[in-house]
Amino acid sequence: MNISDAQLAAFVDGELPAEDRAAVAAAIAADPELARSLAAQRALRERLRQAFDPTLNEPVPQRLLDAVQGSPIVDFDVAKPRRRRTLLAATAWMAVAASLVLAVLVFPRLLQRVGREPDIVVAGSNRIAGGELARALSLRLASEPASGRVQLGLSFLAKSGEYCRTFAVAQNGGTAAGLACREQESWRIHVLEPVSRPAGELGGYRQAASVLSPLLLQAVETRIAGEPLDAAGEASARGSGWRRTSQAPK
Amino acid sequence: MNPTDAKFREELVSLLPKLRRFARALTRHPADADDVVQLAVERALTRTEQWRPGSSLLNWMLGIVRNAWIDELRVRKRRSEVFVADDNAALQVGESPTDRDIELWSIQRGLECLPDEQRLAIALVLVEGLSYAEAAELMGVPIGTLTSRLARGRSTLESLLVEDHAPRRMPEVNR
């Protein structure tokens, strides 16, 4: 029996009529390629559930409860205060989150390793590189031998004018890969994702390009102006403090 | 207010967690997701008579959340000069993000790469667990259209969100 992609998807989504299920299941059992596709589709479904299901257990923000109890008369003017309440609610929520994070994460970690600065600092809606990651992004060239927890990949000039670099950083026992761009005086992290391989295997400059995940590649591709910097270009960008000399004479 | 009002509101409150989960899958910031849910709740209360008692209140509300999200997207596109490419999700303040945060960010980032209609199909079927028929009705499209959007969204996500980063060729990227 030939199984189409649509049938396979319907099987995963529980949309296949009962009379077809057994036939499709048998075809999958007989065909390793089909079994792999099935596993990939199931894994994706599972990852999405795991990413978003925790929302169900969060306390619902008061402003939404208020909205349900509120007056059913809504006109255009309500749109403006809604924004303001959003900010207030977000601030309050973040304060709660901050204290929770402090209690749950920071305190035990401080006990474990006093004085280590976080690699990633979440400031408002921005993620900024900190500590060892920030130093490596500012100071190290991709061509230099790897040392420490941070590996550098590609450096390039973005269409919007700033310098960006891809990196991998070992933390929490795993490795995260990402893309950071120089904005004002800091490295703003635009993409960050888990990597299954330990940082030690990521290797130097040559291998670095090949560890770019599709997600990271896509982010680089949408931003990059021209080609990635070569070693000389990178050194000169570092020399200028990762500021474009023509744009920011400082 | 009519007598069913209190009961209606009570049911609405019980749906809020699911509406928030749905909106999270559509938007990047948790605060944006809650904005969309709030807008949807406010709208729903002005048109309670449009809900047919006996039909699924959840699906009716998901449809309103979807419309609120689409309207919000339009507003943002008009103001695009104000909202410059902002790739960040605010989840926590303070220490380094957890592995779970990083996983969520990469999934959100992957979803953002999808056209809106594919993201919607993925959110309704894979995140909310709606049937094809329910999702198609909610989106106002035939089931075949829904399944093809779902298939395209899935295949893009599978290529973007590979778990093991074996060296690979440059993918064909949708621009």
Side-chain angles (χ1 to χ4, degrees), chain A residues 9-10 12-13 15 40-41 43-45 47-56 58-61 63-65 67-74 78 82-83 85-86 90 93-94 97-98 101 105-106 109 116 118-122 124-127 171-172 176 188-197 210-211 213-215 217-219 221-223, chain B residues 1 9 12-13 16-18 20-21 24-25 29 31 34-39 41-42 45-46 72 76 79 85-100 102-111 113 122 125-133 150 154 157-171 173-175:
Chain A
V12 172
D13 295 331
E15 290 277 338
Q41 294 224 7
L44 179 66
R45 211 183 152 113
R47 274 182 89 179
L48 287 166
R49 294 301 294 233
Q50 281 184 2
F52 293 107
D53 277 2
T55 313
L56 296 179
E58 286 175 16
V60 173
R63 68 175 169 120
L64 295 184
L65 298 172
V68 173
Q69 300 309 332
S71 155
I73 298 142
V74 173
V78 180
R82 190 172 64 88
R83 285 258 148 226
R85 271 186 283 143
T86 302
W93 186 84
M94 284 195 297
V101 169
L105 293 174
V106 179
R109 282 189 197 193
R116 185 173 138 194
D119 293 319
I120 293 137
V121 181
V122 182
S125 63
N126 290 338
R127 283 174 277 152
Q171 57 162 31
N172 305 334
R188 182 163 152 200
I189 296 168
H190 289 274
V191 179
L192 193 66
E193 62 170 342
V195 181
S196 48
R197 243 191 284 177
S210 68
V211 305
S213 70
L215 193 64
L217 256 183
Q218 206 264 358
E221 281 216 321
T222 54
R223 280 185 179 76
Chain B
M1 276 190 207
R9 286 171 205 260
L12 208 47
V13 167
L16 286 174
K18 284 189 175 174
R20 295 181 75 223
R21 175 177 65 180
R24 285 268 178 100
H29 298 275
D34 284 339
D35 269 4
V36 167
V37 173
Q38 183 171 346
L39 185 59
V41 166
E42 287 166 357
L45 290 173
T46 65
E72 197 76 357
R76 300 236 158 162
R79 295 196 212 130
D86 177 358
D87 289 2
N88 298 286
L91 285 176
Q92 293 179 338
V93 178
E95 253 268 348
S96 296
T98 62
D99 292 347
R100 168 159 239 150
I102 294 173
E103 164 77 358
L104 180 60
W105 285 337
S106 61
I107 285 178
Q108 282 177 323
R109 173 79 208 176
L111 284 168
C113 296
I122 296 272
V125 177
L126 301 192
V127 177
E128 287 308 309
L130 259 59
S131 71
Y132 290 176
L150 201 54
R154 260 181 161 137
L157 276 184
E158 273 173 22
S159 66
L160 286 174
L161 299 173
V162 281
E163 271 170 299
D164 107 81
H165 294 174
R168 60 191 61 239
R169 291 178 298 116
M170 304 270 279
V173 173
N174 311 327
R175 282 168 206 273

Side-chain angles (χ1 to χ4, degrees), chain A residues 4-244:
Chain A
S4 69
D5 287 349
Q7 279 174 305
L8 193 66
F11 184 80
V12 172
D13 295 331
E15 290 277 338
L16 217 52
E19 61 268 27
D20 295 347
R21 281 195 74 84
V24 172
I28 289 165
D31 181 348
E33 185 58 34
L34 217 47
R36 261 194 297 279
S37 303
L38 177 79
Q41 294 224 7
R42 284 211 166 124
L44 179 66
R45 211 183 152 113
E46 188 53 31
R47 274 182 89 179
L48 287 166
R49 294 301 294 233
Q50 281 184 2
F52 293 107
D53 277 2
T55 313
L56 296 179
N57 300 321
E58 286 175 16
V60 173
Q62 189 59 41
R63 68 175 169 120
L64 295 184
L65 298 172
D66 289 348
V68 173
Q69 300 309 332
S71 155
I73 298 142
V74 173
D75 62 5
F76 211 69
D77 289 342
V78 180
K80 284 172 196 162
R82 190 172 64 88
R83 285 258 148 226
R84 184 155 303 175
R85 271 186 283 143
T86 302
L87 261 181
L88 279 175
T91 315
W93 186 84
M94 284 195 297
V96 173
S99 51
L100 272 178
V101 169
L102 276 175
V104 175
L105 293 174
V106 179
F107 191 56
R109 282 189 197 193
L110 277 180
L111 292 180
Q112 273 170 18
R113 33 167 210 263
V114 179
R116 185 173 138 194
E117 302 159 84
D119 293 319
I120 293 137
V121 181
V122 182
S125 63
N126 290 338
R127 283 174 277 152
I128 306 289
E132 190 177 338
L133 177 58
R135 282 192 294 277
L137 285 167
S138 294
L139 302 175
R140 286 226 325 260
L141 300 182
S143 50
E144 287 169 0
S147 65
R149 294 182 299 113
V150 182
Q151 312 255 338
L152 281 317
L154 295 174
S155 304
F156 62 90
L157 196 55
K159 288 175 201 142
S160 41
E162 72 271 18
Y163 284 107
C164 301
R165 310 189 78 185
T166 64
F167 61 86
V169 55
Q171 57 162 31
N172 305 334
T175 300
L179 171 72
C181 295
R182 188 71 176 171
E183 287 182 20
Q184 276 123 32
E185 295 302 306
S186 54
W187 291 99
R188 182 163 152 200
I189 296 168
H190 289 274
V191 179
L192 193 66
E193 62 170 342
V195 181
S196 48
R197 243 191 284 177
E201 291 175 31
L202 296 181
Y205 180 72
R206 236 177 261 146
Q207 288 100 318
S210 68
V211 305
L212 287 178
S213 70
L215 193 64
L216 215 43
L217 256 183
Q218 206 264 358
V220 170
E221 281 216 321
T222 54
R223 280 185 179 76
I224 195 166
E227 296 291 314
L229 299 177
D230 57 16
E234 215 181 27
S236 118
R238 178 178 69 176
S240 70
W242 303 96
R243 281 186 295 265
R244 282 185 83 184

